[in-house]
Amino acid sequence: MKATITVLAGDGIGPEVTHAAVSLMEVIGARSGHQFKFQEALFGGCAIDAEGDPFPPATLKQCESSDAVLLGAVGGPKWSDPSARVRPEQGLLKLRKHFELFANLRPVKAYPALAQFAPLRADLLEGVDILFVRELTGGIYFGARQEQGESGTAWDTLEYSVGEVERVAHVAFRAAQRRSHRVTSVDKANILATSRLWQRTVTRMAADYPDVKLDHMLVDAFAMQMLRTPNRYDVVVTENMFGDILTDESAVLAGSLGMLPSASLGKGTFGVYEPIHGSAPDIAGQGIANPVGTILSAAMLLRYSLNLEEEAQKLEHAVEGAIRDGARTKDVAGQGEKALSTTEFAEAVKARL
Ligand code: NAD
Ligand code: IPM
Ligand code: MN
């Protein structure tokens, strides 16, 4: 098959981790006879510097003409002044909204080989395998907002429609049917009207999925239980901002924020694939970033946008094998353990392909 993939490396460690993932996709392509064409484009802070726009029209065109987008990360201190007029993160929101990528899949697994050095007790991590389904194009991220003015106030609005909840909940229920038939819906229905709409809608929809067991949990309690008994959860569906926060928290289960991938999907097969972490300015340019989240995002790209399940699994197994055999970057290495650079880690995965 032939596929065009737009690479938006972005800022900070973005170029380092996307480079590692692309090098592995090239191996997969060569081995399986698929032609992957990679085209790079400006996005984020570097696009603001070059064009004054985090998501320039030429980049949008390239994304539109491709089968999928592989993204690194955007942002950094250079563009973080609270009074800045344009911000790198606006480009990311525009990209998600433009393609209506309303379902953000964020799988979280605990790796037995890393459990020894994880901040949580190893026995708590046994069998942890959660799929977060985060709503991505609604909620407080996209509601009307008012910056601080003369009056000394600022506001953001949180709005959800029944249709927005239905379409993302369908994704969660269908995913559960392929997994362990359990969905936990996380909200703040004791306070928020949008959460009551969310809960009512998800409950009504559960009738169409009699083989799936649905539970509701309040977000504050869930944030605690997720760390206390993480292996009790399977598919977790939640709104945009709760999903953002809970998935960074869930990185503690995987050993590092650098481990977690994501796929942002809409109605068709086009998708944006990116690690859940940011541009990590504190380690950018040192060649030590963990590329696992981005490599596993590339595997999700193979699975969901290119329908190459076998190749996706090959890549995932190669990553798992490399970790099992001791390959690790600094963020997941124990004291006295040898840490690999980003490129060396990619080479270790390549050796197993
Ligand atoms: P961050 O995710 O960039 O970093 C948080 C911590 O995790 C840092 O200590 C960092 O070194 C570490 N870390 C993250 N990824 C890692 C990796 N692959 N390997 C090893 N360590 C890793 O969060 P932040 O510092 O709060 O944000 C920095 C910038 O990134 C901000 O401008 C933010 O808006 C942006 N951001 C962008 C995205 C995105 O592009 N999707 C996501 C989150 C944050
Ligand atoms: C993420 C990031 C983004 C989000 C930011 C950078 C807009 O934190 O992808 O998790 O909040 O969605
Ligand atoms: Mn986030």
Side-chain angles (χ1 to χ4, degrees):
M1 75 160 329
K2 280 188 187 171
T4 303
I5 296 146
T6 294
V7 180
L8 305 177
D11 311 311
I13 62 169
E16 301 167 41
V17 292
T18 46
H19 183 260
V22 168
S23 75
L24 292 168
M25 287 188 80
E26 276 167 346
V27 173
I28 296 256
R31 286 287 161 79
S32 46
H34 301 303
Q35 284 178 308
F36 301 148
K37 186 181 142 212
F38 296 96
Q39 50 183 30
E40 292 203 28
L42 283 173
F43 189 66
C46 58
I48 294 180
D49 290 350
E51 320 243 321
D53 179 351
F55 190 20
T59 299
L60 173 63
K61 264 219 175 87
Q62 273 187 246
C63 294
E64 279 177 333
S65 71
S66 57
D67 298 287
V69 170
L70 183 70
L71 198 151
V74 299
K78 184 174 177 194
W79 308 280
S80 293
D81 180 346
S83 358
R85 201 181 38 83
V86 279
R87 318 178 65 85
E89 292 81 0
Q90 291 165 341
L92 197 54
L93 298 196
K94 195 173 152 194
L95 172 67
R96 292 168 177 172
K97 193 72 169 180
H98 178 83
F99 290 101
E100 274 217 76
L101 305 171
F102 58 84
N104 182 221
L105 309 185
R106 297 188 161 189
V108 181
K109 271 188 195 170
Y111 292 78
L114 301 179
Q116 203 185 339
F117 303 111
L120 284 187
R121 243 171 43 216
D123 61 300
L124 294 178
L125 296 175
E126 242 165 71
V128 167
D129 183 1
I130 302 174
L131 176 66
F132 279 92
V133 180
R134 170 189 176 194
E135 200 290 325
L136 201 63
T137 50
I140 202 160
Y141 277 54
F142 292 95
R145 64 178 107 254
Q146 177 67 58
E147 298 292 335
Q148 181 187 343
E150 300 280 283
S151 64
T153 59
W155 45 259
D156 303 277
T157 49
L158 167 50
E159 192 177 325
Y160 267 112
S161 69
V162 168
E164 283 176 311
V165 179
E166 280 176 346
R167 61 185 186 177
V168 73
H170 274 303
V171 172
F173 280 116
R174 284 197 297 262
Q177 288 179 321
R178 296 188 301 270
R179 293 168 56 100
S180 73
H181 300 261
R182 281 177 296 138
V183 169
T184 305
S185 175
V186 174
D187 62 43
K188 188 75 184 172
N190 54 344
I191 302 292
L192 302 174
T194 46
S195 277
R196 289 187 284 272
L197 176 149
W198 183 282
Q199 197 179 107
R200 226 179 278 126
T201 304
V202 176
T203 300
R204 175 172 48 73
M205 289 173 62
D208 295 337
Y209 298 91
D211 53 333
V212 177
K213 187 179 174 303
L214 170 69
D215 286 308
H216 301 278
M217 282 185 76
L218 295 171
V219 62
D220 47 355
F222 180 82
M224 187 277 290
Q225 295 291 4
M226 180 177 81
L227 297 187
R228 211 175 66 89
T229 52
N231 50 25
R232 277 209 345 228
Y233 303 101
D234 191 62
V235 175
V236 177
V237 63
T238 192
E239 65 110 79
N240 203 343
M241 187 157 78
F242 297 159
D244 178 46
I245 297 167
L246 291 174
T247 51
D248 260 39
E249 185 194 355
S250 76
V252 172
L253 306 171
S256 163
L257 195 50
M259 299 292 292
L260 301 185
S262 83
S264 303
L265 303 169
K267 278 213 178 80
T269 59
F270 177 86
V272 170
Y273 300 83
E274 52 171 323
I276 83 156
H277 63 72
S279 58
D282 52 339
I283 58 162
Q286 299 177 32
I288 58 168
N290 187 339
V292 170
T294 316
I295 298 170
L296 295 179
S297 299
M300 294 179 92
L301 186 161
L302 294 169
R303 171 172 296 123
Y304 296 114
S305 284
L306 308 186
N307 197 23
L308 297 174
E309 176 62 29
E310 205 176 298
E311 287 80 354
Q313 285 190 21
K314 250 184 216 160
L315 189 49
E316 288 165 350
H317 291 158
V319 170
E320 275 165 31
I323 292 171
R324 205 181 320 113
D325 293 349
R328 21 196 134 296
T329 43
K330 194 174 166 202
D331 54 319
V332 283
Q335 261 192 347
E337 267 197 315
K338 181 179 177 322
L340 301 181
S341 72
T342 309
T343 324
E344 285 166 344
F345 185 90
E347 288 300 323
V349 176
K350 208 173 286 176
R352 273 157 194 83
L353 278 176

